Short mmCIF file of all heavy atoms in Angstrom, two decimals:
data_model
loop_
_atom_site.label_atom_id
_atom_site.label_comp_id
_atom_site.label_asym_id
_atom_site.label_seq_id
_atom_site.Cartn_x
_atom_site.Cartn_y
_atom_site.Cartn_z
N LEU M 1 0.83 -1.20 0.00
CA LEU M 1 0.00 0.00 0.00
C LEU M 1 0.86 1.25 0.00
O LEU M 1 0.55 2.23 -0.69
CB LEU M 1 -0.94 0.00 1.21
CG LEU M 1 -1.91 1.19 1.28
CD1 LEU M 1 -2.71 1.34 -0.02
CD2 LEU M 1 -2.86 1.06 2.46
N THR M 2 1.95 1.24 0.75
CA THR M 2 2.87 2.39 0.74
C THR M 2 3.43 2.60 -0.66
O THR M 2 3.50 3.73 -1.16
CB THR M 2 4.02 2.16 1.73
OG1 THR M 2 3.48 1.92 3.04
CG2 THR M 2 4.95 3.37 1.79
N ASN M 3 3.83 1.53 -1.30
CA ASN M 3 4.35 1.61 -2.67
C ASN M 3 3.28 2.14 -3.63
O ASN M 3 3.57 2.97 -4.50
CB ASN M 3 4.84 0.23 -3.12
CG ASN M 3 5.43 0.24 -4.50
OD1 ASN M 3 6.44 0.88 -4.76
ND2 ASN M 3 4.80 -0.47 -5.41
N LEU M 4 2.06 1.67 -3.46
CA LEU M 4 0.95 2.14 -4.31
C LEU M 4 0.74 3.64 -4.17
O LEU M 4 0.61 4.37 -5.16
CB LEU M 4 -0.32 1.37 -3.93
CG LEU M 4 -1.64 1.87 -4.54
CD1 LEU M 4 -1.65 1.59 -6.03
CD2 LEU M 4 -2.83 1.21 -3.86
N LEU M 5 0.72 4.11 -2.92
CA LEU M 5 0.43 5.54 -2.69
C LEU M 5 1.55 6.45 -3.16
O LEU M 5 1.32 7.65 -3.38
CB LEU M 5 0.13 5.78 -1.22
CG LEU M 5 -1.25 5.31 -0.74
CD1 LEU M 5 -1.51 5.76 0.68
CD2 LEU M 5 -2.37 5.80 -1.64
N SER M 6 2.75 5.92 -3.33
CA SER M 6 3.84 6.76 -3.85
C SER M 6 3.54 7.22 -5.27
O SER M 6 4.14 8.18 -5.76
CB SER M 6 5.16 5.98 -3.82
OG SER M 6 5.13 4.89 -4.75
N GLN M 7 2.56 6.56 -5.93
CA GLN M 7 2.14 6.98 -7.27
C GLN M 7 1.06 8.05 -7.24
O GLN M 7 0.76 8.65 -8.27
CB GLN M 7 1.61 5.76 -8.04
CG GLN M 7 2.54 4.57 -8.07
CD GLN M 7 3.84 4.88 -8.76
OE1 GLN M 7 3.85 5.45 -9.86
NE2 GLN M 7 4.96 4.52 -8.13
N TYR M 8 0.47 8.29 -6.05
CA TYR M 8 -0.68 9.18 -5.97
C TYR M 8 -0.49 10.36 -5.02
O TYR M 8 -1.16 11.38 -5.17
CB TYR M 8 -1.92 8.38 -5.53
CG TYR M 8 -2.37 7.36 -6.54
CD1 TYR M 8 -1.96 6.03 -6.43
CD2 TYR M 8 -3.18 7.70 -7.61
CE1 TYR M 8 -2.35 5.08 -7.35
CE2 TYR M 8 -3.59 6.76 -8.54
CZ TYR M 8 -3.17 5.45 -8.41
OH TYR M 8 -3.56 4.51 -9.34
N VAL M 9 0.36 10.22 -4.03
CA VAL M 9 0.56 11.28 -3.05
C VAL M 9 1.79 12.10 -3.45
O VAL M 9 2.90 11.57 -3.54
CB VAL M 9 0.75 10.70 -1.64
CG1 VAL M 9 1.16 11.79 -0.66
CG2 VAL M 9 -0.53 10.03 -1.17
N ASN M 10 1.58 13.39 -3.65
CA ASN M 10 2.67 14.28 -4.03
C ASN M 10 2.74 15.52 -3.15
O ASN M 10 3.82 15.99 -2.81
CB ASN M 10 2.51 14.73 -5.49
CG ASN M 10 2.52 13.55 -6.45
OD1 ASN M 10 3.51 12.87 -6.58
ND2 ASN M 10 1.38 13.33 -7.12
N SER M 11 1.58 16.04 -2.77
CA SER M 11 1.49 17.31 -2.07
C SER M 11 0.85 17.14 -0.70
O SER M 11 0.14 16.14 -0.44
CB SER M 11 0.65 18.29 -2.91
OG SER M 11 0.23 19.40 -2.16
N TYR M 12 1.08 18.11 0.17
CA TYR M 12 0.42 18.12 1.47
C TYR M 12 -1.10 18.18 1.32
O TYR M 12 -1.85 17.77 2.21
CB TYR M 12 0.91 19.31 2.31
CG TYR M 12 0.47 20.67 1.80
CD1 TYR M 12 -0.67 21.29 2.33
CD2 TYR M 12 1.17 21.35 0.81
CE1 TYR M 12 -1.09 22.53 1.88
CE2 TYR M 12 0.76 22.59 0.35
CZ TYR M 12 -0.37 23.18 0.89
OH TYR M 12 -0.78 24.41 0.44
N LYS M 13 -1.56 18.64 0.16
CA LYS M 13 -3.00 18.70 -0.08
C LYS M 13 -3.61 17.31 -0.28
O LYS M 13 -4.83 17.15 -0.21
CB LYS M 13 -3.28 19.56 -1.31
CG LYS M 13 -2.88 21.02 -1.14
CD LYS M 13 -3.16 21.82 -2.40
CE LYS M 13 -2.75 23.28 -2.25
NZ LYS M 13 -3.00 24.08 -3.49
N ASP M 14 -2.76 16.30 -0.52
CA ASP M 14 -3.25 14.93 -0.72
C ASP M 14 -3.46 14.18 0.60
O ASP M 14 -3.94 13.04 0.59
CB ASP M 14 -2.26 14.15 -1.58
CG ASP M 14 -2.07 14.74 -2.96
OD1 ASP M 14 -3.06 15.24 -3.52
OD2 ASP M 14 -0.94 14.70 -3.47
N LEU M 15 -3.09 14.81 1.69
CA LEU M 15 -3.12 14.15 3.01
C LEU M 15 -4.00 14.93 3.98
O LEU M 15 -4.23 16.12 3.78
CB LEU M 15 -1.69 14.04 3.55
CG LEU M 15 -0.72 13.21 2.71
CD1 LEU M 15 0.71 13.43 3.19
CD2 LEU M 15 -1.09 11.73 2.74
N PRO M 16 -4.51 14.28 5.04
CA PRO M 16 -4.29 12.89 5.45
C PRO M 16 -5.18 11.93 4.66
O PRO M 16 -6.16 12.32 4.04
CB PRO M 16 -4.67 12.91 6.92
CG PRO M 16 -5.74 13.96 7.00
CD PRO M 16 -5.32 15.03 6.03
N LEU M 17 -4.81 10.63 4.74
CA LEU M 17 -5.57 9.58 4.08
C LEU M 17 -5.77 8.41 5.05
O LEU M 17 -4.89 8.09 5.85
CB LEU M 17 -4.81 9.05 2.86
CG LEU M 17 -4.85 9.87 1.56
CD1 LEU M 17 -3.93 9.24 0.53
CD2 LEU M 17 -6.27 9.95 1.02
N LEU M 18 -6.93 7.78 4.94
CA LEU M 18 -7.21 6.53 5.64
C LEU M 18 -7.69 5.53 4.60
O LEU M 18 -8.66 5.79 3.88
CB LEU M 18 -8.30 6.72 6.71
CG LEU M 18 -7.88 7.39 8.02
CD1 LEU M 18 -9.11 7.79 8.82
CD2 LEU M 18 -7.02 6.43 8.84
N ILE M 19 -7.00 4.40 4.50
CA ILE M 19 -7.32 3.39 3.49
C ILE M 19 -7.37 2.03 4.17
O ILE M 19 -6.50 1.70 4.98
CB ILE M 19 -6.28 3.39 2.36
CG1 ILE M 19 -6.28 4.76 1.65
CG2 ILE M 19 -6.55 2.28 1.36
CD1 ILE M 19 -5.20 4.92 0.61
N TYR M 20 -8.40 1.25 3.85
CA TYR M 20 -8.52 -0.05 4.51
C TYR M 20 -9.00 -1.11 3.53
O TYR M 20 -9.46 -0.84 2.42
CB TYR M 20 -9.49 0.02 5.70
CG TYR M 20 -10.96 0.05 5.34
CD1 TYR M 20 -11.74 -1.11 5.42
CD2 TYR M 20 -11.59 1.23 4.93
CE1 TYR M 20 -13.10 -1.08 5.12
CE2 TYR M 20 -12.95 1.27 4.63
CZ TYR M 20 -13.69 0.10 4.72
OH TYR M 20 -15.02 0.12 4.41
N GLN M 21 -8.88 -2.35 3.98
CA GLN M 21 -9.41 -3.48 3.23
C GLN M 21 -9.90 -4.53 4.22
O GLN M 21 -9.53 -4.54 5.39
CB GLN M 21 -8.35 -4.09 2.32
CG GLN M 21 -7.16 -4.66 3.06
CD GLN M 21 -6.18 -5.37 2.16
OE1 GLN M 21 -6.47 -5.68 1.01
NE2 GLN M 21 -5.00 -5.63 2.67
N ILE M 22 -10.77 -5.41 3.74
CA ILE M 22 -11.18 -6.60 4.50
C ILE M 22 -10.82 -7.78 3.61
O ILE M 22 -11.40 -7.96 2.54
CB ILE M 22 -12.69 -6.57 4.82
CG1 ILE M 22 -13.00 -5.38 5.74
CG2 ILE M 22 -13.13 -7.87 5.47
CD1 ILE M 22 -14.47 -5.18 6.04
N GLN M 23 -9.82 -8.56 4.06
CA GLN M 23 -9.19 -9.52 3.16
C GLN M 23 -8.65 -10.71 3.94
O GLN M 23 -8.33 -10.59 5.13
CB GLN M 23 -8.04 -8.82 2.42
CG GLN M 23 -7.40 -9.66 1.33
CD GLN M 23 -5.96 -9.23 1.08
OE1 GLN M 23 -5.16 -9.19 1.99
NE2 GLN M 23 -5.64 -8.91 -0.17
N SER M 24 -8.56 -11.85 3.28
CA SER M 24 -7.93 -13.02 3.90
C SER M 24 -6.44 -12.81 4.06
O SER M 24 -5.77 -12.27 3.17
CB SER M 24 -8.18 -14.28 3.07
OG SER M 24 -9.55 -14.65 3.12
N LYS M 25 -5.92 -13.23 5.20
CA LYS M 25 -4.49 -13.17 5.48
C LYS M 25 -3.98 -14.59 5.73
O LYS M 25 -4.74 -15.49 6.10
CB LYS M 25 -4.22 -12.31 6.72
CG LYS M 25 -4.61 -10.83 6.54
CD LYS M 25 -3.63 -10.13 5.61
CE LYS M 25 -3.80 -8.62 5.67
NZ LYS M 25 -5.08 -8.16 5.08
N PHE M 26 -2.69 -14.77 5.56
CA PHE M 26 -2.08 -16.09 5.70
C PHE M 26 -0.85 -15.98 6.59
O PHE M 26 0.05 -15.19 6.31
CB PHE M 26 -1.67 -16.63 4.32
CG PHE M 26 -2.83 -16.74 3.37
CD1 PHE M 26 -3.20 -15.65 2.58
CD2 PHE M 26 -3.55 -17.91 3.25
CE1 PHE M 26 -4.27 -15.74 1.70
CE2 PHE M 26 -4.62 -18.00 2.38
CZ PHE M 26 -4.98 -16.92 1.60
N ARG M 27 -0.83 -16.77 7.66
CA ARG M 27 0.33 -16.78 8.56
C ARG M 27 0.65 -18.21 8.96
O ARG M 27 -0.24 -18.96 9.38
CB ARG M 27 0.06 -15.90 9.79
CG ARG M 27 -0.04 -14.43 9.41
CD ARG M 27 -0.24 -13.50 10.58
NE ARG M 27 -0.45 -12.14 10.10
CZ ARG M 27 -0.78 -11.12 10.87
NH1 ARG M 27 -0.95 -11.29 12.17
NH2 ARG M 27 -0.95 -9.91 10.35
N ASN M 28 1.91 -18.55 8.85
CA ASN M 28 2.36 -19.91 9.10
C ASN M 28 2.59 -20.12 10.60
O ASN M 28 3.71 -20.25 11.06
CB ASN M 28 3.63 -20.19 8.30
CG ASN M 28 3.98 -21.66 8.27
OD1 ASN M 28 3.21 -22.50 8.73
ND2 ASN M 28 5.14 -21.98 7.72
N GLU M 29 1.47 -20.15 11.33
CA GLU M 29 1.52 -20.28 12.78
C GLU M 29 2.05 -21.66 13.18
O GLU M 29 1.64 -22.69 12.62
CB GLU M 29 0.13 -20.09 13.38
CG GLU M 29 -0.49 -18.72 13.14
CD GLU M 29 0.06 -17.65 14.07
OE1 GLU M 29 0.93 -17.99 14.91
OE2 GLU M 29 -0.39 -16.50 13.97
N LEU M 30 2.98 -21.69 14.15
CA LEU M 30 3.48 -22.96 14.65
C LEU M 30 2.40 -23.69 15.43
O LEU M 30 2.32 -24.91 15.42
CB LEU M 30 4.71 -22.73 15.53
CG LEU M 30 5.97 -22.21 14.82
CD1 LEU M 30 7.07 -21.95 15.83
CD2 LEU M 30 6.44 -23.22 13.77
N ARG M 31 1.56 -22.91 16.14
CA ARG M 31 0.51 -23.50 16.96
C ARG M 31 -0.84 -22.93 16.53
O ARG M 31 -1.05 -21.73 16.58
CB ARG M 31 0.77 -23.18 18.45
CG ARG M 31 -0.27 -23.76 19.39
CD ARG M 31 0.04 -23.37 20.84
NE ARG M 31 -0.95 -23.91 21.77
CZ ARG M 31 -2.13 -23.36 22.01
NH1 ARG M 31 -2.48 -22.25 21.39
NH2 ARG M 31 -2.96 -23.91 22.87
N ALA M 32 -1.72 -23.78 16.09
CA ALA M 32 -3.05 -23.33 15.67
C ALA M 32 -4.09 -24.25 16.30
O ALA M 32 -4.72 -25.06 15.63
CB ALA M 32 -3.16 -23.33 14.15
N LYS M 33 -4.24 -24.14 17.62
CA LYS M 33 -5.12 -25.04 18.36
C LYS M 33 -6.25 -24.30 19.07
O LYS M 33 -6.89 -24.86 19.95
CB LYS M 33 -4.31 -25.84 19.38
CG LYS M 33 -3.26 -26.76 18.76
CD LYS M 33 -2.51 -27.54 19.83
CE LYS M 33 -1.48 -28.46 19.19
NZ LYS M 33 -0.74 -29.24 20.21
N SER M 34 -6.47 -23.04 18.72
CA SER M 34 -7.48 -22.24 19.40
C SER M 34 -8.68 -21.95 18.53
O SER M 34 -9.38 -20.95 18.72
CB SER M 34 -6.86 -20.93 19.90
OG SER M 34 -5.84 -21.19 20.83
N GLY M 35 -8.94 -22.79 17.54
CA GLY M 35 -10.07 -22.57 16.66
C GLY M 35 -9.91 -21.29 15.86
O GLY M 35 -8.84 -21.02 15.30
N LEU M 36 -10.96 -20.47 15.82
CA LEU M 36 -10.92 -19.23 15.05
C LEU M 36 -10.08 -18.15 15.72
O LEU M 36 -9.84 -17.09 15.14
CB LEU M 36 -12.34 -18.70 14.81
CG LEU M 36 -13.03 -19.22 13.55
CD1 LEU M 36 -13.22 -20.73 13.60
CD2 LEU M 36 -14.38 -18.53 13.35
N LEU M 37 -9.63 -18.40 16.95
CA LEU M 37 -8.83 -17.40 17.65
C LEU M 37 -7.39 -17.35 17.15
O LEU M 37 -6.68 -16.38 17.41
CB LEU M 37 -8.83 -17.66 19.17
CG LEU M 37 -9.97 -17.00 19.95
CD1 LEU M 37 -11.32 -17.48 19.46
CD2 LEU M 37 -9.83 -17.28 21.43
N ARG M 38 -6.93 -18.39 16.47
CA ARG M 38 -5.59 -18.36 15.89
C ARG M 38 -5.59 -19.19 14.62
O ARG M 38 -5.52 -20.41 14.67
CB ARG M 38 -4.54 -18.87 16.86
CG ARG M 38 -3.11 -18.80 16.29
CD ARG M 38 -2.07 -19.11 17.34
NE ARG M 38 -2.03 -18.08 18.36
CZ ARG M 38 -1.36 -16.93 18.25
NH1 ARG M 38 -0.68 -16.66 17.15
NH2 ARG M 38 -1.38 -16.06 19.23
N GLY M 39 -5.69 -18.52 13.48
CA GLY M 39 -5.78 -19.23 12.22
C GLY M 39 -4.55 -19.06 11.36
O GLY M 39 -3.81 -18.08 11.48
N ARG M 40 -4.35 -20.01 10.48
CA ARG M 40 -3.30 -19.88 9.46
C ARG M 40 -3.85 -19.15 8.23
O ARG M 40 -3.09 -18.57 7.46
CB ARG M 40 -2.78 -21.27 9.09
CG ARG M 40 -2.02 -21.95 10.24
CD ARG M 40 -1.32 -23.23 9.79
NE ARG M 40 -0.42 -23.67 10.84
CZ ARG M 40 -0.62 -24.75 11.60
NH1 ARG M 40 -1.72 -25.47 11.43
NH2 ARG M 40 0.26 -25.10 12.52
N GLU M 41 -5.14 -19.20 8.06
CA GLU M 41 -5.85 -18.40 7.06
C GLU M 41 -7.03 -17.77 7.77
O GLU M 41 -7.82 -18.47 8.40
CB GLU M 41 -6.32 -19.27 5.89
CG GLU M 41 -7.11 -18.50 4.84
CD GLU M 41 -7.60 -19.38 3.70
OE1 GLU M 41 -7.09 -20.52 3.57
OE2 GLU M 41 -8.49 -18.94 2.95
N PHE M 42 -7.16 -16.45 7.70
CA PHE M 42 -8.20 -15.77 8.47
C PHE M 42 -8.59 -14.47 7.79
O PHE M 42 -7.85 -13.94 6.94
CB PHE M 42 -7.71 -15.49 9.90
CG PHE M 42 -6.42 -14.72 9.97
CD1 PHE M 42 -6.41 -13.33 10.09
CD2 PHE M 42 -5.19 -15.38 9.93
CE1 PHE M 42 -5.22 -12.62 10.15
CE2 PHE M 42 -3.99 -14.66 9.99
CZ PHE M 42 -4.01 -13.28 10.10
N LEU M 43 -9.76 -13.96 8.15
CA LEU M 43 -10.25 -12.71 7.58
C LEU M 43 -9.92 -11.56 8.52
O LEU M 43 -10.17 -11.63 9.73
CB LEU M 43 -11.76 -12.78 7.36
CG LEU M 43 -12.37 -11.63 6.55
CD1 LEU M 43 -11.83 -11.65 5.11
CD2 LEU M 43 -13.89 -11.72 6.54
N MET M 44 -9.36 -10.50 7.95
CA MET M 44 -8.89 -9.38 8.75
C MET M 44 -9.27 -8.05 8.09
O MET M 44 -9.32 -7.94 6.86
CB MET M 44 -7.37 -9.46 8.90
CG MET M 44 -6.73 -8.33 9.69
SD MET M 44 -4.93 -8.58 9.79
CE MET M 44 -4.44 -7.08 10.64
N LYS M 45 -9.57 -7.07 8.91
CA LYS M 45 -9.66 -5.69 8.43
C LYS M 45 -8.36 -5.00 8.80
O LYS M 45 -7.98 -4.94 9.95
CB LYS M 45 -10.84 -4.97 9.11
CG LYS M 45 -11.10 -3.55 8.58
CD LYS M 45 -10.15 -2.48 9.13
CE LYS M 45 -10.19 -2.40 10.63
NZ LYS M 45 -9.18 -1.43 11.15
N ASP M 46 -7.64 -4.53 7.79
CA ASP M 46 -6.44 -3.75 8.07
C ASP M 46 -6.57 -2.35 7.47
O ASP M 46 -6.85 -2.19 6.29
CB ASP M 46 -5.15 -4.44 7.62
CG ASP M 46 -5.24 -5.09 6.25
OD1 ASP M 46 -6.33 -5.56 5.88
OD2 ASP M 46 -4.21 -5.15 5.55
N LEU M 47 -6.43 -1.37 8.34
CA LEU M 47 -6.54 0.05 7.99
C LEU M 47 -5.16 0.68 8.12
O LEU M 47 -4.39 0.34 9.02
CB LEU M 47 -7.51 0.74 8.96
CG LEU M 47 -7.58 2.26 8.96
CD1 LEU M 47 -8.31 2.78 7.73
CD2 LEU M 47 -8.27 2.77 10.22
#
């Protein structure tokens, strides 16, 4: 996202910005025994 915005943000007039997504994430957890509380594939909102 930082790399993407380097194509669009040039001036102080372009800021501030808040950008988010709701997307599946993937993490190679060593321990995944808590059901949906710790997933290797999970849905997350990142802003």
Side-chain angles (χ1 to χ4, degrees):
L1 183 53
T2 303
N3 182 64
L4 171 69
L5 285 188
S6 67
Q7 308 298 312
Y8 294 96
V9 172
N10 300 295
S11 165
Y12 69 95
K13 296 179 181 179
D14 298 324
L15 299 168
L17 281 175
L18 282 167
I19 298 174
Y20 77 100
Q21 63 174 346
I22 296 175
Q23 187 206 55
S24 291
K25 296 288 193 291
F26 302 87
R27 293 183 185 173
N28 193 7
E29 298 281 0
L30 292 176
R31 180 182 180 278
K33 297 181 179 180
S34 298
L36 271 62
L37 271 60
R38 182 172 293 277
R40 293 189 169 109
E41 178 181 344
F42 55 94
L43 190 65
M44 179 179 176
K45 185 282 302 176
D46 43 328
L47 168 74

